[in-house]
Amino acid sequence: VLLQNLSLPVWPRWHYAVLVGYDLPARELVFRSGTTERDVLGFALFERTWARGGYWAFAALPPGQLPVTAGEVDAVDAAIGFERAAPAAQALRVYDSILARWPDNLLAGLGQGNTRFAAHDLTGAAQAFERVARRHDSAAAWHNLAITRLQLGDRADIAEVGRQRVEAAREVAATAQQVAVAVEAVAVVDLAARLDG
């Protein structure tokens, strides 16, 4: 999908068109444009109208197919937004593709577990949460694993999962306390420097 300005920069006429093909020898592009099923533009005219649109474009891909240039953080942010609006099965395909490229991503692992849980695949959700919990020692993953195992009726391991969850939460709290102390120390030094200055 491309944005064109079909008029002048001072009097824009914005238009979105879908690029569906090209003919290199003829130097032409083929678009679906408005109600026109096949609109053909020469390279030069298209380049001018697209330049006036700031060369804006995007490629729509099916769930689970990541753009080659996608960065890890952007891909996960997009997946989280997509999960809010998409059926769980489609969101799961996105998280699976992210984890295929970045297997250590904590948020994608949690998303994979959450979407499996939402799709009532409790066994798959438990596997995803356990993988994330063990890899990252994530309090959220331990919590979700305990809830999932409880739903599965797997009470034997819940006590151990609960202990892991509490320990991970203690570590998070200890780290937060260390950060707070460090921030306070920096603030005191900064205040002392201002008073001296």
Side-chain angles (χ1 to χ4, degrees):
V1 177
L2 305 149
L3 176 64
Q4 299 170 279
N5 177 358
L6 300 178
S7 186
L8 299 171
V10 296
W11 195 274
R13 195 174 97 204
W14 301 112
H15 178 74
Y16 291 100
V18 178
L19 178 64
V20 295
Y22 58 89
D23 183 344
L24 288 177
R27 300 185 51 76
E28 294 177 333
L29 298 166
V30 181
F31 296 93
R32 299 262 192 276
S33 181
T35 58
T36 306
E37 187 173 325
R38 182 177 170 81
D39 192 12
V40 179
L41 279 178
F43 281 9
L45 176 58
F46 166 72
E47 201 282 327
R48 285 193 304 274
T49 62
W50 193 33
R52 286 184 235 147
Y55 295 108
W56 185 91
F58 76 88
L61 300 172
Q65 185 177 346
L66 296 176
V68 174
T69 59
E72 183 174 4
V73 172
D74 290 337
V76 172
D77 284 348
I80 291 168
F82 182 69
E83 180 186 358
R84 290 184 188 120
Q90 289 182 359
L92 178 59
R93 277 185 263 172
V94 174
Y95 286 122
D96 287 347
S97 65
I98 291 170
L99 289 168
R101 192 179 293 181
W102 299 288
D104 289 331
N105 189 284
L106 170 66
L107 293 177
L110 286 170
Q112 184 185 56
N114 289 339
T115 54
R116 286 187 185 281
F117 191 92
H120 307 289
D121 174 10
L122 298 180
T123 301
Q127 292 168 349
F129 291 137
E130 184 165 4
R131 190 171 38 256
V132 174
R134 295 202 183 282
R135 182 171 281 165
H136 298 282
D137 199 23
S138 161
W142 286 117
H143 171 80
N144 289 1
L145 178 58
I147 297 298
T148 305
R149 287 212 175 132
L150 186 62
Q151 291 287 319
L152 284 166
D154 184 6
R155 300 185 191 288
D157 289 336
I158 291 177
E160 177 57 29
V161 169
R163 281 192 290 280
Q164 293 287 346
R165 177 178 149 203
V166 167
E167 186 57 35
R170 281 187 186 130
E171 289 178 22
V172 168
T175 301
Q177 181 62 34
Q178 290 170 350
V179 168
V181 168
V183 167
E184 189 175 308
V186 168
V188 167
V189 169
D190 186 47
L191 180 61
R194 286 186 200 172
L195 292 175
D196 288 343

